[in-house]
Amino acid sequence: VFAAAILPRLHACNSNSAQIVYNNMKVGAVSTSFQDVKSAFEANHACMGITCADVGNLYNSDANAFFAGLPQCVDTSPLNLDRIAGYLPGTNVVDHSLIDLDQKAIEEQIKVG
């Protein structure tokens, strides 16, 4: 059920990653790869506005430890963005904010001539 709920969001970020998750999680999947699914999600954390800290790691409560042999989640986003009022943007919003300056320059050029 979780895979069906998250697939549209993942697909909006990366259709190949969504296909990997679908192929591994669909009913009747011939084979599954935990690592492939984990990697597909982790590669899209920034786009989905989440971090490894938000997701956490697979924990074995019986052993009171993380499952052995599973690599800990590592954020791979090259964006390294800061949260803005608690929100983690998926892109560099500073770049997007510059459109105001572009609009101003266009308007000034229209006035000139």
Side-chain angles (χ1 to χ4, degrees), residues 75-97:
D75 287 314
T76 59
S77 170
L79 298 176
N80 198 20
L81 300 173
D82 293 327
R83 289 186 180 267
I84 302 171
Y87 170 75
L88 180 66
T91 60
N92 187 343
V93 295
V94 174
D95 292 341
H96 299 298
S97 71

Side-chain angles (χ1 to χ4, degrees), residues 2 13-14 16-17 21 30 62-63 66 69 77 83-84 88 96 103-104:
F2 171 76
C13 291
N14 185 301
N16 290 332
S17 293
V21 172
V30 177
D62 291 336
F66 292 109
S77 170
R83 289 186 180 267
I84 302 171
L88 180 66
H96 299 298
Q103 180 67 31
K104 181 180 176 186

Side-chain angles (χ1 to χ4, degrees), residues 43-92:
N44 292 283
H45 278 177
C47 178
M48 293 189 291
I50 60 176
T51 66
C52 288
D54 296 325
V55 175
N57 290 294
L58 195 54
Y59 191 77
N60 183 343
S61 59
D62 291 336
N64 198 28
F66 292 109
F67 276 95
L70 295 180
Q72 299 294 304
C73 181
V74 176
D75 287 314
T76 59
S77 170
L79 298 176
N80 198 20
L81 300 173
D82 293 327
R83 289 186 180 267
I84 302 171
Y87 170 75
L88 180 66
T91 60
N92 187 343

Side-chain angles (χ1 to χ4, degrees), residues 99-113:
I99 195 167
D100 294 337
L101 298 176
D102 293 339
Q103 180 67 31
K104 181 180 176 186
I106 291 168
E107 290 174 7
E108 289 172 357
Q109 288 298 315
I110 291 172
K111 288 178 188 176
V112 170

Side-chain angles (χ1 to χ4, degrees), residues 7 10-11 14-26 36-37 40 44:
L7 277 174
L10 185 59
H11 186 272
N14 185 301
S15 60
N16 290 332
S17 293
Q19 190 66 50
I20 290 169
V21 172
Y22 174 76
N23 289 343
N24 280 273
M25 303 299 292
K26 68 183 176 184
D36 287 352
V37 171
N44 292 283

